[in-house]
Structure formats: C-alpha cells, structure tokens
Amino acid sequence: MNNTPVGLPGKGSRISDTTEERRDLREAVRQLVGSYGRSYFQDVVARGERADELWSAMGKAGFLGVHLPEEHGGGGGGLADLAVVIEEMASQGCPMFMVVISPAIAGTVLTAHGTPEQKAKYLPGIADGTFRMAFAITEPDAGSNTHKITTTAHKDGDGGWRLRGQKYWTSGVDECQALLVVARDAEPGPDGRHTLSLFICDTDAPGLTFQKLDSALMLPEKQFMTFFDDVPVERAGLVGTEGEGLKQVFAGLNPERVAAACMANGIARYALAKGAQYANERTVWKTPIGAHQGVAHPLAESYIAVELARLMTMRAAEMSDAGLDAAEASNIAKFAAGDAAVKALDQAIQVHGGNGLSYEYGLADLWFVARMFKTAPVSREMVLNHVAQHSLGLPKSY
C-alpha cells in the first residue's frame, strides 16, 4: 500500500498526550492505519464490504485490546489508551465504528461485570480482533429512556431465558459472533418496576434475525433492526447480577461516549489536515488561498474547538480510568466533539470549493458520519438536560 499518513503541517498538537508512551502509541497507530489510508476505507465502503484487513492488522498489533486486562490478552492499559487508538484511526480517514462497539463497549462491560468464564471466553478474541461482539440496547419506542425498553427476558424453567422483542440501529451485528443484549425482566420487582438484565447470545442463535436499515452512514458497519423470537440464552449468558443490568450498562455508556468523541475528534483532525493542505497548495492569482484570513481564520477557529474537545475527551477517559465519576465529563466531551467535528468538516469542504463535494478528496462522504455524533450515542438535547440538572442543579425537564 502506498498511502502516506495524514497529519497537520509543522509539529502538530501535543497538548492532549501527557506521556511519551501515549505519544508513541499514537504514532504507531498513525503509521499502521495510514498505510491503508482513506482510499482503502472508501473502496471498502463503496463495495459494501468489511475492512477486515485493517481490523486484523489492528488486532495483531495489540491496538484493539490495549485497554483490556493482560491476563485476558489485552495490553493492560485504560480507556485513555483506547481513546488514542480510536482517534488516530479516524484521523487517518478510517473511522471504524466496530472499535467503539466491540472493544470499547462490550470489552469494557465484560471486564467490569463479566464472570471469570465470560472473560476467559470472550476477552482474548475481542482483544486480538478474532471475535466481535455487537451491542443491542436502542429500541424504536424507547429512545434514550432505558426504562421503556420492552425486549423481555422470560425464564424458561431450565435456568436460562428466552428473549422476545426487537432492537433498532444495532450496528455491525452481521459481522459479529455474539450480541450483548439489554432486556427487561418479565416479572416486575417488589416496587412494580421491571428491572433490566444484560445477556450474551450468539448471533446464529435460533430465533434471532436482523434486517438491514437503509442508512446515510458511509461506513463498513451496517445498521440493522434486530428481532428476538424466543431466542434462547443459557444461564452462562447472564452478565453480572440479574436485575442489575442498568448499572452494568452504565459501565459501558460513559466509555461509549468517550469513544464516540474520539472518533469525532479524529474525523475533525483529518478534515483540518486536508483543509490546511489544500489551502497551502491551492493558488489563486499567484497567492495560496490559505494566506487570506477569510480562509485561514475559520480553519484556525475550528482547530481551537477541536483541541478543546480533545482535551475534555482525554480528561473524561483519565477520570474513568481513575475510578472517578466521569458522567459529566463524558457527556461534555461527546457534545463538544460532535459540534467541533461538523464545523471542522464543513469548513474543510468549503475550503476545497467544488472539489469538496467530490468523493475523490475524501471529505464529502464523511459528512453524515460526523453529523451522527450530534445525535448519537446520546443527543445534544439529552446532554444539555444532564448538564442542566446535574451540573447546574436545575429542575428535571423531562
């Protein structure tokens, strides 16, 4: 492969990496992913295929499991290390959503709440990329309200369960061997509420089917409606304690928001690098267009917004690694990164003029991916609700 890693001219930013080890990790990921590059990623997406070669290379290099325990095949690092990996992949024009789903969500939840048997069975494969696990939580009528989840786990009398219901926007389930499912218990508790539990089921289990959604996201990972028609789950498929699924899910939600922010930040860095390169090279009336403040200042302002988002994202990751409450920081990071990514990409496209709308320049087909982060995995409005209520002490508005 003849691709050259993408980066901003000059020294680039060293603000968010506080250790030499993390800078070395970033450079190693940059070199590996940059050797595949944006053109490889675009070709995979255009052919409707998976980026298996890149995924395999990332797994063999130890990057996918950098945050997982060493005794289970991981690198023994933390979320901050995985944050570097995810951001740097996206900064090379290769934003693989599966890295958020399998290692960041499933791997983190299993590390925190899985049984010893589940950890031994799943984590080594998640770490080296030979095993992928999807995550099924969103439902058509539940939205961000996990208390309205209707997918139900019915006890079958043999110590296991049968799952009934459906999920929405289940990413990449077609390329995974297992599925981490959030389901409510069939029988209400003493307070009359249905508690949640977390289950693992094989994607080829009887009664499990999925239907592709027609999505604007130009990613290797496809989106699906997932249907559970008495899908069997053995006792060994229960993650953690029955009825405590909400707490277990939250072990993955903050890392998911950090990981999403990292991908948004990486896309923004890729866009700014391409925009700066074009502004340096494109000459009109014998002057590089980047010499004009009307071009330079919007790029510079976007760069500042992205660096601020990166700082908050890394702060959230480090707080999570330290065992601190990272909910506020994770939400703010995702909010800031989503907005900054859309602004940076839009400005990079504008700098390119008509060329910005051509797939050849590698920007236009990232638009809906960047735009997604204003909505998912948690919407801007729900982040504002969280900050208003928990940070400002305002009355709950919903």
Side-chain angles (χ1 to χ4, degrees):
M1 299 177 189
N2 298 317
N3 287 297
T4 302
V6 177
L8 288 168
K11 294 181 179 178
S13 172
R14 297 168 69 89
I15 296 175
S16 62
D17 292 334
T18 55
T19 67
E20 195 63 39
E21 291 81 2
R22 207 164 284 162
R23 286 191 284 270
D24 290 343
L25 172 62
R26 184 178 299 280
E27 181 59 23
V29 176
R30 176 177 177 267
Q31 291 295 331
L32 190 154
V33 181
S35 70
Y36 287 81
R38 180 70 184 148
S39 59
Y40 160 82
F41 201 78
Q42 287 179 301
D43 183 58
V44 166
V45 173
R47 289 186 281 113
E49 297 181 358
R50 302 175 350 193
D52 286 338
E53 299 89 351
L54 176 55
W55 180 267
S56 178
M58 291 290 292
K60 289 177 181 178
F63 296 144
L64 299 179
V66 68
H67 63 306
L68 298 177
E70 289 183 281
E71 61 267 30
H72 296 299
L79 180 59
D81 299 297
L82 184 63
V84 169
V85 171
I86 294 173
E87 183 192 291
E88 207 57 34
M89 289 186 72
S91 80
Q92 299 305 308
C94 300
M96 289 190 71
F97 204 47
M98 185 54 66
V99 186
V100 177
I101 300 164
S102 189
I105 301 176
T108 300
V109 169
L110 290 177
T111 298
H113 297 290
T115 65
E117 293 77 15
Q118 289 169 344
K119 293 177 183 179
K121 180 177 181 180
Y122 297 116
L123 290 182
I126 290 176
D128 67 16
T130 58
F131 192 93
R132 307 183 207 192
M133 185 177 291
F135 183 52
I137 181 171
T138 305
E139 295 186 2
D141 297 321
S144 298
N145 187 359
T146 52
H147 297 293
K148 289 188 67 177
I149 283 176
T150 59
T151 299
T152 308
H154 299 261
K155 293 186 177 180
D156 63 7
D158 295 325
W161 293 264
R162 297 274 174 170
L163 301 182
R164 302 171 188 167
Q166 61 183 14
K167 297 291 184 180
Y168 197 43
W169 291 102
T170 309
S171 301
V173 64
D174 62 323
E175 55 185 275
C176 293
Q177 295 99 318
L179 187 58
L180 192 61
V181 186
V182 183
R184 76 173 192 176
D185 301 320
E187 299 299 326
D191 60 356
R193 301 183 68 175
H194 293 263
T195 58
L196 300 178
S197 295
L198 200 55
F199 302 93
I200 300 172
C201 67
D202 294 337
T203 51
D204 62 356
L208 177 63
T209 57
F210 35 89
Q211 179 179 331
K212 182 180 173 183
L213 293 170
D214 190 13
S215 164
L217 300 176
M218 299 186 74
L219 293 167
E221 299 84 7
K222 307 301 185 295
Q223 313 301 317
F224 294 89
M225 283 283 293
T226 309
F227 302 95
F228 301 86
D229 184 11
D230 276 336
V231 176
V233 177
E234 297 180 353
R235 180 71 189 179
L238 174 68
V239 178
T241 304
E242 183 179 358
E244 295 186 4
L246 187 60
K247 179 175 69 175
Q248 294 149 17
V249 165
F250 273 104
L253 290 187
N254 285 337
E256 179 189 32
R257 288 165 193 183
V258 170
C262 291
M263 186 174 290
N265 290 334
I267 290 172
R269 285 179 53 217
Y270 170 82
L272 288 174
K274 300 292 283 187
Q277 178 183 8
Y278 195 83
N280 270 311
E281 296 174 353
R282 174 66 169 160
T283 299
V284 179
W285 294 299
K286 299 181 180 181
T287 303
I289 61 173
H292 302 297
Q293 292 179 354
V295 173
H297 283 187
L299 286 174
E301 187 175 350
S302 291
Y303 177 88
I304 291 171
V306 172
E307 288 303 301
L308 290 171
R310 293 180 71 203
L311 276 172
M312 180 53 81
T313 302
M314 192 55 68
R315 175 60 178 157
E318 291 174 342
M319 288 178 67
S320 180
D321 288 339
L324 302 174
D325 183 357
E328 180 186 49
S330 300
N331 276 292
I332 293 174
K334 186 268 167 190
F335 182 100
D339 281 4
V342 169
K343 183 176 180 179
L345 180 58
D346 184 65
Q347 192 57 43
I349 291 173
Q350 188 70 15
V351 166
H352 280 74
N355 287 334
L357 303 179
S358 169
Y359 289 157
E360 177 186 351
Y361 286 81
L363 294 170
D365 44 343
L366 282 172
W367 175 255
F368 282 105
V369 180
R371 179 60 181 79
M372 172 185 67
F373 292 115
K374 291 169 73 77
T375 303
V378 59
S379 70
R380 295 178 83 258
E381 291 73 21
M382 287 305 296
V383 172
L384 293 173
N385 284 336
H386 179 94
V387 170
Q389 180 182 348
H390 298 284
S391 305
L392 298 175
L394 300 178
K396 188 175 182 178
S397 61
Y398 61 96

